């Protein structure tokens, strides 16, 4: 204090014992050849509250942004959910953050992501039945749980672990799409969880539930495509997909082998070019009835003209492929070689 002023921040205690943050300016002054210390004290309670509110708002905004960007990534579901739990630790001050998905076949919640105190996906809480502990209750009742007194809450069963790690608060939210249970998101914290943080968790739950369902649907589609491709390429009967204008969209190896064309050659043809002239009229009439929705499918014995000009008999089964709204997209034809039978007859 030899010269100038000096600023400090510390806590002061009032006469009633309550404490408050204060800003103090200390200045050395001289009055009539005597030196004094002048102290100016300002209560910072309101300013600190505003700063804390702004910091929390920025944290919550960053949390929402991190969750939103994670859900747009093309990584695996576990990687995406891990980023979401990392964001909970970074921005919601979670001591432990976890996400489970619900498996309707086993009726178990399966741990997919964990951040904070542990990143392990094993252990006692990796598979949780409905109704067991706080996580199972959230899923069973489809209701969130929040408490800032975890040690006193009967829904928190592992109190020794909670106390060991200095955790005082818990928040969990069901991941729902309408009435459909998708999973549970939950966190433990060493500080009280504010209403704003809980609202951010609620917001994230809706986004994450949608992201999980989208990923699961994408995986189911990939699995379906693999199964279709395996059948399409490996089955012994011919299969072709044809547009409503008669353009060949897809053809399988069995069909190409039957008629002797390469895929490029076959897809360049119109179906009338490899159909016997005497069978075109019946084929066109029945196909048009399927395209117009007057019948779902038909079966017809017809003759095909092979690339080497041989004529073979086949049994054609043709059906419409529709989109989810019922509109016809194209037709699929199953072609079975019955030439040997027809020759015998």
């Amino acid at each position: 204090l030899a010269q100038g002023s000096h600023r400090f921040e510390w806590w002061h205690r009032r006469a009633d014992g309550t404490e408050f943050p204060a800003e103090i300016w200390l200045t050395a002054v001289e009055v009539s050849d005597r030196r004094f210390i002048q102290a100016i004290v300002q209560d910072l309670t309101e300013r600190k509250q505003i700063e804390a509110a702004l910091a929390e708002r920025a944290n919550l905004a960053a949390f929402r942004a991190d969750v939103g960007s994670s859900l747009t990534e093309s990584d695996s579901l576990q990687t995406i959910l891990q980023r979401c739990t990392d964001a909970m630790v970074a921005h919601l001050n979670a001591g432990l953050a976890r996400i489970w998905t619900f498996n309707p076949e086993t009726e178990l919640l399966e741990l997919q992501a964990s951040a904070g105190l542990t990143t392990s996906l094993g252990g006692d809480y990796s598979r949780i039945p409905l109704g067991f502990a706080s996580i199972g209750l959230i899923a069973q009742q489809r209701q969130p749980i929040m408490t800032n007194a975890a040690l006193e809450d009967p829904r928190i069963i592992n109190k020794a672990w909670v106390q060991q790690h200095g955790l005082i608060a818990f928040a969990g939210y069901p991941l729902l799409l309408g009435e459909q249970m998708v999973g549970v998101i939950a966190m433990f914290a060493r500080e009280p969880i504010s209403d704003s943080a809980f609202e951010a968790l609620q917001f994230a739950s809706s986004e994450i539930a949608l992201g999980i369902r989208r990923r699961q649907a994408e995986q189911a589609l990939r699995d379906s495509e693999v199964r279709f491709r395996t059948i399409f390429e490996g089955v012994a009967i011919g299969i072709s997909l044809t547009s409503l204008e008669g353009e060949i969209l897809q053809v399988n190896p069995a069909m190409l082998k039957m008629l002797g064309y390469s895929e490029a050659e076959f897809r360049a043809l119109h179906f009338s070019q490899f159909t016997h002239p005497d069978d075109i009229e019946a084929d066109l009439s029945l196909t048009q009835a399927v395209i117009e929705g007057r019948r779902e499918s038909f079966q017809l014995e017809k003759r095909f003209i092979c690339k080497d000009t041989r004529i073979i008999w086949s049994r054609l089964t043709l059906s419409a492929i529709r989109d989810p709204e019922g509109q016809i997209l194209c037709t699929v034809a199953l072609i079975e070689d019955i030439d040997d039978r027809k020759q015998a007859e």
Side-chain angles (χ1 to χ4, degrees):
L1 295 176
Q3 51 185 295
S5 298
H6 297 266
R7 177 185 176 277
F8 303 90
E9 283 189 16
W10 56 40
W11 287 81
H12 273 259
R13 181 177 292 110
R14 298 185 180 89
D16 61 6
T18 60
E19 296 183 342
F20 65 96
E23 176 185 66
I24 303 172
W25 286 91
L26 299 178
T27 309
V29 296
E30 279 192 31
V31 179
S32 301
D33 297 328
R34 298 184 64 184
R35 294 177 61 82
F36 298 90
I37 301 297
Q38 175 181 276
I40 299 175
V41 181
Q42 180 181 3
D43 188 342
L44 296 182
T45 301
E46 185 176 352
R47 194 179 86 185
K48 290 294 184 182
Q49 289 173 341
I50 294 173
E51 289 175 353
L54 291 174
E56 182 182 40
R57 186 178 301 174
N59 257 334
L60 298 182
F63 170 66
R64 291 187 175 193
D66 281 359
V67 169
S69 63
S70 297
L71 294 172
T72 62
E73 298 293 333
S74 58
D75 295 311
S76 68
L77 177 61
Q78 279 196 345
T79 300
I80 290 169
L81 296 182
Q82 185 61 47
R83 290 196 184 119
C84 293
T85 56
D86 290 340
M88 292 166 67
V89 171
H91 302 300
L92 300 185
N93 295 321
L96 176 67
R98 287 184 152 185
I99 297 175
W100 291 260
T101 56
F102 180 64
N103 186 334
E105 295 182 1
T106 62
E107 293 195 339
L108 291 174
L109 292 157
E110 299 174 349
L111 184 60
Q112 300 293 339
S114 181
L117 288 170
T118 178
T119 58
S120 172
L121 300 182
D124 295 338
Y125 296 94
S126 61
R127 302 287 185 273
I128 301 177
L130 295 178
F132 177 74
S134 55
I135 303 303
L137 281 174
I138 292 169
Q140 184 182 58
Q141 299 174 359
R142 288 171 164 72
Q143 294 294 325
I145 291 177
M146 186 180 84
T147 176
N148 284 322
L151 287 174
E152 288 76 41
D153 197 304
R155 297 166 295 186
I156 309 299
I157 61 173
N158 197 350
K159 290 184 170 56
W161 178 85
V162 170
Q163 188 171 29
Q164 174 190 352
H165 293 284
L167 304 169
I168 66 168
F170 170 84
Y173 216 92
L175 303 177
L176 298 172
L177 281 178
E179 292 299 316
Q180 187 176 20
M181 168 56 57
V182 177
V184 172
I185 182 172
M187 59 177 273
F188 280 97
R190 295 187 176 93
E191 299 177 358
I193 299 171
S194 68
D195 290 341
S196 297
F198 188 65
E199 288 172 6
L201 195 65
Q202 178 183 0
F203 165 82
S205 71
S206 300
E207 297 294 306
I208 292 171
L210 189 60
I212 290 172
R213 179 54 71 228
R214 183 167 56 244
R215 290 289 168 176
Q216 290 174 338
E218 290 170 356
Q219 185 60 50
L221 179 60
R222 284 193 292 269
D223 293 343
S224 177
E225 289 173 347
V226 169
R227 288 192 295 270
F228 170 77
R229 181 58 56 187
T230 301
I231 295 171
F232 187 77
E233 294 182 354
V235 73
I237 65 173
I239 304 175
S240 67
L241 273 68
T242 307
S243 74
L244 303 185
E245 293 75 33
E247 177 189 1
I248 306 298
L249 303 175
Q250 283 183 279
V251 59
N252 75 333
M255 182 73 170
L256 297 173
K257 182 179 179 182
M258 190 185 305
L259 300 182
Y261 290 97
S262 70
E263 183 173 355
E265 290 171 336
F266 191 77
R267 292 184 65 173
L269 300 173
H270 188 274
F271 89 96
S272 61
Q273 294 175 267
F274 50 82
T275 296
H276 193 282
D278 292 345
D279 298 331
I280 287 179
E281 184 177 349
D283 197 341
L284 276 174
S285 176
L286 291 169
T287 300
Q288 194 63 30
V290 171
I291 291 173
E292 294 173 359
R294 290 183 281 116
R295 56 190 303 166
E296 283 300 311
S297 63
F298 71 85
Q299 193 171 88
L300 172 72
E301 290 187 355
K302 61 173 285 188
R303 285 159 289 185
F304 280 111
I305 303 173
C306 300
K307 181 179 179 181
D308 61 6
T309 71
R310 286 183 304 112
I311 296 173
I312 62 171
W313 279 92
S314 69
R315 180 186 291 111
L316 165 67
T317 303
L318 186 136
S319 304
I321 294 181
R322 300 175 182 270
D323 64 17
E325 285 72 41
Q327 297 296 315
I328 298 175
L329 299 175
C330 61
T331 61
V332 58
L334 307 181
I335 298 96
E336 181 184 358
D337 186 346
I338 60 169
D339 195 60
D340 288 344
R341 194 200 81 194
K342 295 293 285 187
Q343 294 293 345
E345 291 174 356

